[in-house]
Amino acid sequence: MPVIKPVFTATASAPVASGGTVTTTLNPDTTRYFATLTAGMLGPTNTTIPAGSFVDDADATITALPALTANDYFNVYINGVLQQQSLSILSTTDLVLNATTPDLSAGTPIQLEIVSFANVSSALSTPPDISAPVITITS
């Protein structure tokens, strides 16, 4: 005797989600460093400011600049004027400026600002309502 299999045709609605709240907490961490150019920092093609030439907000000399991550960015101010990002290269050992004399001279103040967004967190504070699909058997 052959096996008889039932055949059904059915349709179903897609589940629908509504409501729900995600709370994101953003705690940027900003650090600032200050240096004054000396004649020895001014080179023929660029200006190199060693990390040890910078002081922090507490006026403490630093030994290394922070290593940047994908969540960080930095700003350079020369004599209080914000500079284009493409004009400087930051490493843990120094800040290199693509500028030389006569643009810069000994005694010019340099400010370095580093902002980190590594302390970002998100949490589902109110879960969404999700409907169950409706299944209708037509035959």
Side-chain angles (χ1 to χ4, degrees):
M1 171 155 119
V3 175
I4 301 174
K5 296 187 258 179
V7 177
F8 297 101
T9 304
T11 58
S13 65
V16 176
S18 62
T21 304
V22 175
T23 301
T24 300
T25 304
L26 178 66
N27 295 312
D29 184 22
T30 303
T31 51
R32 289 175 294 276
Y33 303 98
F34 308 91
T36 301
L37 293 182
T38 64
M41 295 175 187
L42 301 169
T45 59
N46 56 41
T47 299
T48 302
I49 308 166
S53 298
F54 285 94
V55 296
D56 61 16
D57 270 336
D59 206 30
T61 302
I62 62 167
T63 57
L65 294 164
L68 297 182
T69 69
N71 298 317
D72 303 339
Y73 73 88
F74 70 97
N75 290 318
V76 174
Y77 299 84
I78 298 176
N79 205 21
V81 178
L82 179 63
Q83 303 298 303
Q84 290 175 297
Q85 185 81 39
S86 62
L87 298 177
S88 56
I89 300 170
L90 179 64
S91 70
T92 58
T93 58
D94 53 36
L95 172 65
V96 178
L97 306 174
N98 186 17
T100 59
T101 55
D103 297 330
L104 298 176
S105 59
T108 303
I110 305 295
Q111 296 86 29
L112 172 63
E113 175 184 53
I114 299 174
V115 180
S116 174
F117 288 97
N119 295 325
V120 176
S121 63
S122 293
L124 184 61
S125 53
T126 305
D129 292 323
I130 301 175
S131 67
V134 175
I135 299 172
T136 306
I137 299 175
T138 55
S139 64

